[in-house]
Amino acid sequence: MLSSKVIGDSHGQDSSYFLGWQEYEKNPFHETFNPSGIVQMGLAENQLSFDLIESWLEEHPEVLGLKKNEESVFRNLALFQDYHGLPAFKDAMAKFMGKIRGNKVKFDTNKMVLTAGSTSANETLMFCLANPGDAFLIPAPYYPGFDRDLKWRTGVEIVPIHCVSSNGYKITEDALEDAYERAHKLNLNVKGVLITNPSNPLGTSTTREELDLLLTFTSTKQIHMVSDEIYSGTVFDSPEFTSVLEVAKEKNMDLDEKIHVVYSLSKDLGLPGFRVGLIYSDNEKVVSAATKMSSFGLISSQTQHLLANLLSDERFTTNYLEENKKRLRERRDRLVSGLKEAGIGCLKSNAGLFCWVDLRHLLKSNTFEAEHSLWTKIVCEVGLNISPGSSCHCDEPGWFRVCFANMSDQTMEVAMDRVKGFVADNNRGSQKRTMWNTRRRSLINKWVSKLSAVTCESER
């Protein structure tokens, strides 16, 4: 007999978000070996600034050689390490996070818990803040992986905060209250609100006004506020990034034990394979429990050693953050421009590794069934893996998340050519259908006229 986790389907693997990946893996695009394959535009990876990190590593071979002051540190790193993490690494992370936030927020390493990526950090927070059957409110559309990360092993429920395109998906007081009431009607105990700032999948940073509203709401309801700030270093246009901790400081809530932040180097530095994340909290009990839980998913000592050296190089981090933002902005502009040429619009974005793309005009009907049909065609026939809005719990059919930072310039060109070809073919098909429908209506009208004439004559 196996556990319910094994035989159940609560993992969320049947989401179109994951199914698109499966299709891509069967037939991945390669510029030389498989030019007709599927281009991966459903993966939020940042590959635009690898060369900057590679150049730093070439200039510092002693770090990769596990040496310090020309002496080997291999034995120290190879032996068992305390799960609190290497002090040098935590110090470097604290300074790096402060730099991203314009040093308006300072981080105390005693309030940091190191985790194997943000996936582990978010799940650990759910274990610490909620019991099975409790709920967290999350602005929708939201990252499809949260259905797995926050719910699967913890038993925590998610109640979407319905945000709409008509106001740019801004979080409103009415939307918050509506989600809270819906949760209570479902007999769910609401333990907190979780946001991703900047938003995945929208590519927009949360405004000060929204953060103020969220903190007022969670404080009034006496529930937790979790801000996943994994994309904080990717904000490349105004408005600038504002951390929930900065607004909490302005509201004299900076020592609030119900405010928690999640961070990772997966997006800003493009290092998801390094599995580096953390939780930051003023709640001593949460920090203590989360630190104990971190023993189930530690960051290797070798990784901490390497990144402690890299992040401690002030000149490198300053240059990297600026150049990376510049490259992300240029790539975003290139995607938006290419889509515009094809007659496709996007939500105005200022951050992240993706755009929220409006394909509503390509739907055959205003339904999620039509969205699914369009998505299937784009993946299987056009050869582009993008994520449909329904996988992100969007209320409005026809929106898609399209990633742009995980490919070369040449691959981006291929993707844009395919989009333009698809839209052109679709428009030609629509014109043919329109011509046929017009002709059919004309024939029907003539037939009705003749029938009416015959009928009239017989009646006379």
Side-chain angles (χ1 to χ4, degrees):
M1 192 67 173
L2 300 175
S3 74
S4 59
K5 287 284 186 294
V6 174
I7 61 177
D9 58 357
S10 59
H11 179 271
Q13 193 74 28
D14 58 347
S15 164
S16 50
Y17 170 72
F18 291 109
L19 294 177
W21 279 33
Q22 292 175 22
E23 289 303 310
Y24 163 77
E25 289 167 357
K26 295 175 188 175
N27 183 28
F29 171 83
H30 189 281
E31 293 172 13
T32 304
F33 302 114
N34 192 20
S36 62
I38 297 174
V39 176
Q40 175 62 291
M41 303 187 85
L43 178 60
E45 276 189 348
N46 182 9
Q47 299 181 23
L48 299 184
S49 299
F50 274 164
D51 61 306
L52 302 179
I53 298 176
E54 289 169 337
S55 294
W56 187 92
L57 292 173
E58 289 177 4
E59 295 170 4
H60 299 82
E62 73 283 358
V63 176
L64 284 177
L66 303 182
K67 291 183 178 180
K68 185 176 182 179
N69 298 325
E70 299 186 356
E71 292 186 8
S72 174
V73 292
F74 168 76
R75 292 193 179 190
N76 292 334
L77 297 175
L79 296 174
F80 176 78
Q81 298 291 332
D82 183 86
Y83 49 39
H84 288 85
L86 300 181
F89 175 62
K90 294 179 79 172
D91 287 340
M93 281 290 284
K95 291 176 182 176
F96 184 65
M97 292 170 66
K99 175 176 282 190
I100 289 174
R101 291 155 182 78
N103 292 316
K104 296 173 184 176
V105 177
K106 295 192 180 297
F107 293 89
D108 182 346
T109 57
N110 293 318
K111 299 175 181 179
M112 293 169 64
V113 180
L114 300 181
T115 63
S118 62
T119 296
S120 176
N122 279 311
E123 185 188 54
T124 298
L125 268 180
M126 292 301 104
F127 275 124
C128 290
L129 304 181
N131 292 312
D134 290 340
F136 262 76
L137 311 181
I138 302 182
Y142 63 77
Y143 166 53
F146 279 156
D147 292 324
R148 170 200 62 195
D149 302 351
L150 308 182
K151 296 172 57 177
W152 188 42
R153 298 199 298 183
T154 66
V156 170
E157 297 295 332
I158 293 176
V159 177
I161 301 167
H162 295 307
C163 302
V164 295
S165 62
S166 57
N167 73 344
Y169 296 98
K170 292 290 187 283
I171 302 168
T172 65
E173 184 175 2
D174 287 344
L176 286 168
E177 292 291 352
D178 174 69
Y180 192 81
E181 289 303 315
R182 278 188 286 111
H184 277 278
K185 287 179 181 178
L186 294 170
N187 294 317
L188 296 173
N189 180 30
V190 178
K191 296 303 293 286
V193 175
L194 185 147
I195 66 169
T196 305
N197 179 26
S199 167
N200 175 7
L202 301 180
T204 56
S205 55
T206 310
T207 64
R208 285 178 177 274
E209 293 74 20
E210 289 173 290
L211 292 170
D212 183 89
L213 171 65
L214 286 162
L215 288 175
T216 299
F217 177 81
T218 54
S219 177
T220 301
K221 303 293 187 185
Q222 295 186 320
I223 57 178
H224 293 276
M225 176 69 217
V226 178
S227 181
D228 183 338
E229 300 183 354
I230 188 174
Y231 291 98
S232 55
T234 70
V235 179
F236 47 77
D237 263 341
S238 61
E240 66 180 14
F241 173 71
T242 303
S243 172
V244 70
L245 297 177
E246 185 180 339
V247 177
K249 184 179 180 181
E250 294 170 357
K251 293 171 68 70
N252 295 316
M253 295 172 63
D254 47 321
L255 298 178
D256 194 316
E257 294 186 346
K258 287 187 169 64
I259 300 174
H260 320 276
V261 168
V262 167
Y263 183 61
S264 166
L265 296 180
S266 295
K267 310 302 180 182
D268 292 348
L269 281 185
L271 302 175
F274 279 42
R275 308 311 305 146
V276 176
L278 63 81
I279 296 166
Y280 189 82
S281 174
D282 266 298
N283 192 311
E284 292 184 6
K285 291 182 178 179
V286 168
V287 170
S288 176
T291 301
K292 295 168 186 172
M293 290 182 189
S294 70
S295 62
F296 295 102
L298 296 172
I299 307 170
S300 75
S301 301
Q302 296 89 329
T303 298
Q304 292 187 53
H305 168 73
L306 187 160
L307 293 176
N309 283 274
L310 180 115
L311 295 178
S312 296
D313 188 331
E314 290 284 336
R315 181 180 174 187
F316 168 78
T317 55
T318 299
N319 176 67
Y320 178 90
L321 288 172
E322 289 305 313
E323 181 62 23
N324 185 56
K325 290 178 184 179
K326 176 185 174 184
R327 296 181 185 187
L328 287 172
R329 185 189 308 113
E330 290 174 349
R331 180 57 71 82
R332 185 278 312 267
D333 290 346
R334 191 169 178 179
L335 174 66
V336 171
S337 176
L339 292 174
K340 186 176 181 180
E341 288 177 17
I344 296 172
C346 307
L347 180 73
K348 185 178 180 181
S349 64
N350 70 314
L353 313 176
F354 31 72
C355 283
W356 191 237
V357 178
D358 185 1
L359 300 182
R360 288 176 292 178
H361 61 295
L362 298 180
L363 297 181
K364 291 185 177 179
S365 63
N366 187 32
T367 64
F368 285 108
E369 288 77 13
E371 178 187 274
H372 187 270
S373 296
L374 177 61
W375 169 74
T376 302
K377 188 170 186 177
I378 291 173
V379 174
C380 299
E381 297 181 25
V382 184
L384 302 175
N385 177 36
I386 61 178
S387 304
S390 55
S391 70
C392 304
H393 298 268
C394 181
D395 279 348
E396 190 175 4
W399 291 88
F400 290 76
R401 189 190 76 163
V402 179
C403 299
F404 57 71
N406 62 323
M407 66 192 74
S408 67
D409 288 339
Q410 293 77 13
T411 302
M412 173 62 77
E413 285 300 315
V414 171
M416 290 299 94
D417 286 343
R418 291 185 183 183
V419 169
K420 293 170 187 175
F422 168 65
V423 173
D425 289 343
N426 188 76
N427 288 340
R428 279 194 291 270
S430 296
Q431 289 172 359
K432 288 180 180 178
R433 286 193 296 273
T434 301
M435 290 172 65
W436 163 242
N437 288 336
T438 301
R439 185 167 170 198
R440 185 172 59 179
R441 282 195 297 271
S442 176
L443 291 171
I444 291 174
N445 289 336
K446 289 180 180 178
W447 177 76
V448 170
S449 297
K450 289 182 179 180
L451 182 62
S452 299
V454 171
T455 303
C456 291
E457 287 175 5
S458 63
E459 287 177 349
R460 290 194 192 102

